[in-house]
Amino acid sequence: MRFFAVILQAVCLCSVLSCSEPRMTEMFVRPQQKDADGAYAFCLEMDDSLSVYSLDFYTRIDCPPEDFAALGDMQLDIRLYSPAGKEYSECVYLPVGTFSASRYFSKDYIVPYRSGFRPSEPGRWTMKVTVIREEAVKGLRGLGVRLSRKDMQN
């Protein structure tokens, strides 16, 4: 009987722990899914004020090796909108020479954007990213973001 009680407690504990929010969320937008302004739009749920977050960009470019050689770094115009409607913006570059995986016609990228930050306002943020001169990046399959959350509770 005691063994059964221990097993039951373990199962209950596992079920409670398995109901927590995911620690990482990924979103990918294809070029044909861009918003009316031509931006890749992402909804970022950052509502836990006791956690820190990290954001990475990821993408794939499919084109012949000679086209890769001609590519420059991708310039990203980033606009962030807070839950209260405040707008923040900046330009960053995705270095095309730092791919994470490579095949003859494809290069995959996972590039850190921000690491270990707390948003100024907890809640649902909107991120809009425009690839400057996107038409020059032949074979761009879209843009994705990976949002990771790390609990900082004691």
Side-chain angles (χ1 to χ4, degrees), residues 16-151:
V16 167
L17 294 177
S18 68
C19 292
S20 65
E21 288 183 54
R23 301 220 178 268
M24 184 170 55
T25 305
E26 291 185 6
M27 297 150 272
F28 189 82
V29 178
R30 296 184 181 280
Q32 54 272 37
Q33 297 171 318
K34 293 186 289 188
D35 69 8
D37 298 324
Y40 296 91
F42 305 97
C43 179
L44 307 173
E45 292 287 346
M46 297 187 288
D47 53 3
D48 187 348
S49 62
L50 298 177
S51 294
V52 294
Y53 295 87
S54 295
L55 266 171
D56 301 319
F57 289 114
Y58 67 96
T59 191
R60 171 177 283 172
I61 299 174
D62 294 328
C63 64
E66 57 274 7
D67 289 350
F68 278 119
L71 284 178
D73 293 343
M74 285 179 20
Q75 183 179 356
L76 306 178
D77 178 44
I78 300 171
R79 301 204 178 275
L80 284 162
Y81 301 91
S82 75
K86 293 181 187 172
E87 181 179 343
Y88 304 89
S89 65
E90 69 176 327
C91 263
V92 299
Y93 290 85
L94 190 148
V96 295
T98 59
F99 46 86
S100 57
S102 177
R103 287 164 296 293
Y104 186 73
F105 281 103
S106 296
K107 298 215 185 315
D108 295 337
Y109 296 86
I110 301 173
V111 180
Y113 171 55
R114 293 284 180 257
S115 182
F117 70 91
R118 277 198 176 91
S120 58
E121 300 173 33
R124 178 178 290 172
W125 287 68
T126 300
M127 173 188 266
K128 293 187 174 197
V129 182
T130 303
V131 178
I132 306 301
R133 294 188 51 241
E134 184 172 354
E135 68 281 353
V137 187
K138 295 182 178 101
L140 180 67
R141 296 296 170 228
L143 187 66
V145 294
R146 180 181 297 159
L147 177 64
S148 304
R149 178 178 59 88
K150 181 178 178 185
D151 292 334

